[in-house]
Amino acid sequence: MSPARIDVPARRGRSRSARGTRTGGGPRAPARTALPCVAALVTAALPTTAGATGAPEPAGQPCVASARPDAGQSRQILDIARQAVRELHLNAVVLRVERDGPEVVTGAAGESMTGVPATADMHFRSGAVAIAYLGNVLLQLVDEGKVGLDDPVSRWLPDLPHADETTLRMLGASTSGLRDYVPDPKFVAELYANPFRQWTPRELIALSTDRPLLYEPGTNWSYSHANFVILGSALEKITGTPLDRLLQERVMGPLGMRNTANAFTAAIPAPVLHSFDAERGKYEESTFWNSSWTTARGAVLTTNVCDLARSARAMGAGELISPSGLRARLNPGTVGLGTATSSCPASVCFAQKPLVR
């Protein structure tokens, strides 16, 4: 009966949620849970009913709750969000649902802090969404003939271990064989000891490259945060432009995303969707824990749900890249990869199927 499914991010704790903020800044400790504030985005083909505005909002407009959230489909969707807050023990949900571009509903449910209602315009960390932006810049550079996807990383980062064996494509498609530093017990201990620490790209890359590869580059699939830290560094070398400026010039600026920006500190622009965490053994405010460890320096972004929706449309439709670039994005060549080996367990090297590529 529901007109749409509210897509609540899985609380796996490896990084800030790909669609908003989660409660913790670090990897999840075993057998601990926390009450997240979630930003959800649904883009779907929905039947036409009352409650939709009928046209996409111009880029850069204020992100505000729908004018008629109590009518038709809008009310049904908000009821789903409120039910999710209750049943999943969430602090808050910030959501936007679109139908092929036009808005169906934008709104929020729950509280950002005790006594402070969540609102549609609140900012949060967008986490792994930045991976799509990094890939977009790479594909733009391929379109411009400045790089090839199969160029070795050693061309720009000659001192990086395994750089001769690793290509730009492998970084973007998660087939480099680099270990993920996030589950490493040493990293977890250091992160929990000081969640406000500012990590450098050199420190993060070393956590992965100081250990043997999981497999020969290009022969398997596994997720590693190091892939994207390295990709960000490579993009800076290729263009001679700092990554934060590169993303602004090539992604956020052209798409009119005025509420999305990198932060070199733990600051989040007001109004802020707050987050809380129980991963260190006590329930605590974690909104301003430092997220420098999560991805490439210059791509630790904050955003709001309207900018998030704008970028989802653009990335999915390939607005900023060529048709061949979009084909490469939609089929990165990973289908069929992902096989457990003696050095890579099934929980890490798991099969990539057409629906999860």
Side-chain angles (χ1 to χ4, degrees):
M1 294 179 61
S2 301
R5 177 175 62 87
I6 300 300
D7 193 355
V8 179
R11 293 182 287 168
R12 293 186 297 175
R14 293 298 178 234
S15 66
R16 298 268 177 188
S17 162
R19 293 185 179 86
T21 59
R22 55 176 287 276
T23 53
R28 183 163 305 284
R32 293 178 184 166
T33 59
L35 305 183
C37 300
V38 174
L41 169 64
V42 177
T43 53
L46 301 174
T48 302
T49 62
T53 61
E57 293 180 359
Q61 292 297 302
C63 190
V64 296
S66 302
R68 296 177 59 199
D70 58 345
Q73 201 167 71
S74 298
R75 179 169 183 172
Q76 288 180 288
I77 293 168
L78 285 172
D79 284 346
I80 294 171
R82 296 183 185 109
Q83 182 178 354
V85 169
R86 293 191 302 270
E87 293 183 355
L88 300 177
H89 306 292
L90 306 176
N91 283 352
V93 171
V94 176
L95 64 93
R96 181 177 177 89
V97 178
E98 298 182 349
R99 182 197 300 114
D100 296 327
E103 176 208 24
V104 176
V105 63
T106 301
E111 294 184 327
S112 174
M113 296 186 293
T114 302
V116 180
T119 57
D121 60 344
M122 284 182 165
H123 297 93
F124 47 84
R125 302 191 194 282
S126 57
V129 170
I131 292 173
Y133 305 165
L134 294 173
N136 196 88
V137 172
L138 174 58
L139 291 170
Q140 287 175 331
L141 295 173
V142 172
D143 286 342
E144 295 163 12
K146 296 179 180 177
V147 299
L149 286 176
D150 296 314
D151 290 345
V153 177
S154 58
R155 181 174 170 185
W156 299 280
L157 302 172
D159 297 328
L160 180 76
H162 314 294
D164 286 334
E165 311 162 67
T166 308
T167 66
L168 296 172
R169 185 194 301 271
M170 292 174 190
L171 294 177
S174 295
T175 60
S176 69
L178 288 167
R179 294 174 183 267
D180 191 6
Y181 56 81
V182 170
D184 184 270
K186 180 181 177 182
F187 171 76
V188 173
E190 293 184 18
L191 185 65
Y192 283 164
N194 182 11
F196 302 101
R197 173 177 172 175
Q198 182 77 26
W199 293 82
T200 69
R202 182 182 296 274
E203 290 172 329
L204 297 173
I205 292 170
L207 289 170
S208 289
T209 57
D210 284 351
R211 303 174 64 194
L213 294 174
L214 289 171
Y215 47 82
E216 181 183 345
T219 64
N220 209 331
W221 184 96
S222 59
Y223 183 85
S224 173
H225 287 71
N227 286 324
F228 307 104
V229 178
I230 295 170
L231 180 57
S233 297
L235 293 174
E236 289 187 326
K237 291 287 188 179
I238 292 165
T239 62
T241 304
L243 187 60
D244 61 316
R245 203 172 87 201
L246 198 60
L247 293 176
Q248 179 60 41
E249 292 174 353
R250 287 180 170 267
V251 179
M252 284 91 80
L255 296 180
M257 296 165 60
R258 298 180 185 173
N259 282 280
T260 303
N262 170 71
F264 288 115
T265 70
I268 302 176
V272 179
L273 182 64
H274 282 249
S275 57
F276 305 86
D277 197 290
E279 295 176 9
R280 299 202 302 168
K282 55 185 176 182
Y283 191 68
E284 58 189 327
E285 166 87 40
S286 61
T287 308
F288 299 106
W289 285 6
N290 195 311
S291 292
S292 56
W293 58 272
T294 58
T295 192
R297 177 176 167 84
V300 183
L301 306 178
T302 57
T303 191
N304 65 20
V305 77
C306 293
D307 272 12
L308 192 62
R310 177 69 187 100
S311 72
R313 293 198 305 272
M315 297 298 110
E319 288 184 29
L320 302 176
I321 55 179
S322 68
S324 62
L326 180 58
R327 286 193 296 273
R329 167 180 286 158
L330 296 178
N331 182 13
T334 56
V335 175
L337 291 180
T339 303
T341 68
S342 58
S343 60
C344 191
S347 59
V348 176
C349 288
F350 53 86
Q352 297 300 287
K353 300 178 182 179
L355 293 181
V356 298
R357 68 187 182 207

